[in-house]
Amino acid sequence: MTKLVPDSPAAAKVFPSPNHGERAGGQPPRLLILHYTGMAQAAEALQRLCNAASKVSSHYFVFENGHVLQLVPEARRAWHAGLAQWAGETDINSASIGIEIANPGHAGGLPPFPEAQIAAVVRLCQDIVQRRGIRADLVLGHSDVAPERKDDPGELFPWRRLAEAGVGHWAAPAPIRSGRFFSPGESGAPIEALQAMLALYGYGIDITGVYDRRTEAVVTAFQRHFRPERVDGIADASTISTLHDLIGSRPGPLLA
């Protein structure tokens, strides 16, 4: 029997999941999506990702000790993102590579990610983005592409560290200070402008001029990723300034 070889040298071996399919249109992956497992035990999460009955999977799985397994070939469409969108792309599974990081998540108290695990995630992501030519601003969290459904990988995930290692887009968060802010229930031109900026960066949001539930969820997701010091769904000056800086420093158009 032929031994399966991982696509990435950062993975120790292939531990195959049956849950995958063809990428729509045969497109190459253009996004890298990071998740936490949200389950108490890594072994339990891995079993679920490899169980045909669960209908979920990811391309890679990273244990707390830094051990990496490949579950689905990169050429195949893993089932990790669900109902999600970014920059007009609604089939995120076909357009992305997904990495599951073992962590109990918010429901389990959101414990810190161990050093060995983050070091392994960095190595794996560096290899994927270099081989696949994935642009920095297209390395995203599950909460970025599914803000009303998902919170992962959460505000404790070290996005800045990844960016310093050449993975992902980052701008230093503007200091939190007092001043004007926008919150749920408000409406008008300033809310339209906020929604337009979030959509310009890539978030799936309609420009309605109303600070509705979707807007609050998108702002919360943005804060989890880019302004994690305070995650409250309120668009304060720090949030808006950080968003402006990210748009200004993005390395290319929305999704190329």
Side-chain angles (χ1 to χ4, degrees):
M1 189 173 80
T2 303
K3 182 180 178 180
L4 298 175
V5 178
D7 290 311
S8 172
K13 67 176 182 177
V14 175
F15 190 85
S17 169
N19 302 331
H20 54 84
E22 296 285 343
R23 291 187 182 275
Q27 63 174 304
R30 296 173 290 163
L31 299 96
L32 179 59
I33 308 297
L34 306 186
H35 309 252
Y36 62 44
T37 56
M39 299 179 72
Q41 300 296 326
E44 184 182 1
L46 179 61
Q47 182 180 34
R48 182 169 184 266
L49 292 164
C50 295
N51 186 338
S54 72
K55 300 188 184 300
V56 294
S57 62
S58 64
H59 293 91
Y60 294 96
F61 186 96
V62 185
F63 287 89
E64 292 95 339
N65 65 2
H67 188 65
V68 180
L69 299 176
Q70 180 164 10
L71 312 185
V72 173
E74 290 182 11
R76 302 286 288 173
R77 181 182 185 271
W79 305 340
H80 61 97
L83 183 63
Q85 60 177 305
W86 187 261
E89 174 61 67
T90 56
D91 186 356
I92 297 298
N93 283 339
S94 284
S96 68
I97 290 173
I99 299 174
E100 286 280 359
I101 304 164
N103 185 287
H106 290 82
L110 196 62
F113 296 88
E115 169 59 29
Q117 186 179 48
I118 292 303
V121 170
V122 168
R123 289 193 299 271
L124 175 61
C125 290
Q126 284 176 325
D127 174 65
I128 293 171
V129 299
Q130 290 168 8
R131 281 189 296 105
R132 293 289 182 177
I134 295 176
R135 220 171 58 197
D137 58 312
L138 300 180
V139 179
L140 303 163
H142 199 187
S143 57
D144 291 311
V145 299
E148 287 187 274
R149 298 190 304 110
K150 298 295 180 178
D151 300 328
D152 56 313
E155 55 271 25
L156 296 187
F157 187 76
W159 290 107
R160 178 175 182 171
R161 176 170 170 182
L162 264 70
E164 289 172 347
V167 178
H169 188 204
W170 184 259
I176 297 173
R177 58 185 185 274
S178 60
R180 184 76 172 98
F181 61 86
F182 304 107
S183 57
E186 295 190 54
S187 61
I191 308 304
E192 286 187 11
L194 169 65
Q195 292 168 332
M197 289 176 67
L198 289 164
L200 181 60
Y201 193 69
Y203 286 94
I205 186 170
D206 293 327
I207 302 172
T208 64
V210 177
Y211 207 117
D212 52 16
R213 178 179 174 181
R214 178 69 177 184
T215 303
E216 183 180 11
V218 170
V219 169
T220 300
F222 176 83
Q223 291 171 335
R224 287 194 197 284
H225 189 152
F226 296 108
R227 209 288 305 273
E229 289 80 5
R230 182 187 295 169
V231 180
D232 57 9
I234 295 173
D236 58 0
S238 167
T239 300
I240 295 170
S241 293
T242 304
L243 174 58
H244 184 271
D245 291 344
L246 285 160
I247 292 170
S249 61
R250 186 172 52 201
L254 270 181
L255 187 57

